[in-house]
Amino acid sequence: MTQLKLQGIIPPVATPYTSDFQIDKPSLRKVIRHLLDGGVHGLFMLGSTSECVFLNPQQRGDVLEVAMEEAGGKVPVVAGVMDATTDHVIGHARQAQSLGVNGLVVTAPYYTRTSQAEIVDHFAYIKEAIDLPVIAYDIPVCVHVKLARETVRELSSRGLACALKDSSGDDGNMRMVMLDHAAEPEFAVLTGSEIVADYALLGGAHGCVPGLGNVDPAGYVRLYEAAKRGDWLAARREQERLIALFQIVFQGLPHTSMGASGVGGFKTAMQLMGLIEERKMGRPNRLLPDAGVAKVREILAASGLL
């Protein structure tokens, strides 16, 4: 499969753990069913919200096996294959391909110091090794280098990427990227922001990859459908409701890092909703404190999700 058209709401699926930090497959199945019942248009497994880098190859495989079984061809499944070097990424990509995923999600290498030219080489080596569509993932907060607009253009023009997931936080740059590719309907631009999805869709984005979609997938689907029919007032209202719900990501601070507070907020909400058994994250990330859990419960109740 060399073609993949991504659009709509494609949540980065959270990875539930057992008490001893193995993959909680029954909870993962429940989460995926919750997403599919919410009407999502695809599943992004092994992303940042999925805690991809905490998982060993066996655990990554376990996650993908469950996802492919539950998706059952109803929606595309793409897999993050992020790692510090090209050859490690290719190893993860071969595993993902063997399990039947529809596409790969690739960042720039991290820890290693790479130029924009070397980042393009990174994508070229991966595409040469694996015949699957590739989504470029711009997340400088994690990899400490941004995909330049010129780099994204080259990835597209050379067929090295079929889409961009923009989690850079630089909405002005993303708007210019969308203009760069406005004449390329086959190249999708997806925002990774939970709180400006309506703005991004108005500007021409093809969809959204919201971590908060693990908690309220139906809300993001309503937002997307309102945007598709041009009802921007309804989209704005749904976005504002989701922004209120998004406050769960701040309830670990200052006890935790921002990353642990965000994923921990999602997992705490999912546990309170009965979707997962444990709210553990990969070590050394700390759990939300009791006061944070109480606040997440309060926010969920105000949003009508409890």
Side-chain angles (χ1 to χ4, degrees):
M1 180 178 183
T2 57
Q3 301 298 317
L4 178 64
K5 183 66 174 176
L6 292 177
Q7 61 182 15
I9 304 303
I10 308 166
V13 183
T15 304
Y17 296 129
T18 62
S19 59
D20 60 351
F21 296 97
Q22 299 307 306
I23 303 302
D24 181 350
K25 295 182 181 181
S27 288
L28 180 56
R29 291 184 188 280
K30 191 179 291 187
V31 170
I32 293 173
R33 291 170 188 172
H34 169 63
L35 297 174
L36 295 174
D37 289 346
V40 304
H41 306 91
L43 300 171
F44 173 20
M45 312 305 299
L46 303 178
S48 305
T49 299
S50 317
E51 301 175 87
C52 171
V53 297
F54 290 90
L55 305 180
N56 63 40
Q58 178 63 53
Q59 292 170 320
R60 293 188 188 210
D62 289 345
V63 166
L64 294 179
E65 285 180 0
V66 170
M68 297 310 298
E69 289 172 6
E70 291 298 327
K74 295 185 286 290
V75 298
V77 177
V78 297
V81 291
M82 285 73 81
D83 213 317
T85 69
T86 302
D87 290 328
H88 289 171
V89 170
I90 289 172
H92 297 309
R94 286 181 172 141
Q95 178 192 42
Q97 183 181 44
S98 73
L99 294 170
V101 303
N102 304 111
L104 307 172
V105 185
V106 177
T107 65
Y110 45 86
Y111 191 80
T112 53
R113 299 179 182 183
T114 49
S115 67
Q116 293 294 316
E118 288 166 331
I119 291 169
V120 172
D121 290 347
H122 174 67
F123 279 83
Y125 292 137
I126 293 163
K127 190 66 177 174
E128 181 181 326
I130 309 292
D131 184 23
L132 278 176
V134 171
I135 299 95
Y137 186 2
D138 188 15
I139 184 166
V141 70
C142 290
V143 303
H144 306 295
V145 62
K146 177 165 180 56
L147 298 181
R149 285 172 60 203
E150 295 78 9
T151 297
V152 175
R153 281 198 293 267
E154 184 169 357
L155 294 177
S156 173
S157 66
R158 291 176 56 183
L160 303 178
C162 68
L164 172 72
K165 183 202 171 201
D166 192 313
S167 294
S168 68
D170 186 347
D171 296 322
N173 185 79
M174 185 179 72
R175 185 71 175 85
M176 290 187 283
V177 168
M178 289 190 287
L179 284 173
D180 289 343
H181 297 274
E184 302 172 42
E186 69 282 0
F187 187 85
V189 178
L190 309 166
T191 179
S193 173
E194 289 91 348
I195 61 176
V196 297
D198 58 343
Y199 290 1
L201 292 166
L202 178 60
H206 298 79
C208 180
V209 187
L212 187 61
N214 285 278
V215 179
D216 191 2
Y220 279 97
V221 171
R222 286 193 298 270
L223 190 163
Y224 176 73
E225 291 177 344
K228 276 197 71 177
R229 65 177 183 267
D231 189 346
W232 296 107
L233 180 58
R236 174 183 170 181
R237 287 172 175 165
E238 193 64 47
Q239 180 70 89
E240 289 173 351
R241 189 189 69 79
L242 290 164
I243 289 172
L245 178 60
F246 187 70
Q247 303 313 300
I248 65 175
V249 308
F250 304 113
Q251 303 312 313
L253 303 174
H255 174 76
T256 72
S257 64
M258 187 62 235
S261 184
V263 175
F266 299 152
K267 284 192 166 183
T268 298
M270 294 163 75
Q271 184 188 50
L272 291 170
M273 294 168 66
L275 294 172
I276 62 176
E277 294 294 324
E278 300 275 351
R279 56 190 181 93
K280 290 182 180 295
M281 292 171 284
R283 297 187 295 182
N285 283 349
R286 293 180 169 186
L287 296 177
L288 269 62
D290 290 345
V293 174
K295 185 63 177 175
V296 170
R297 185 189 299 274
E298 179 184 317
I299 294 167
L300 283 176
S303 296
L305 295 176
L306 283 183

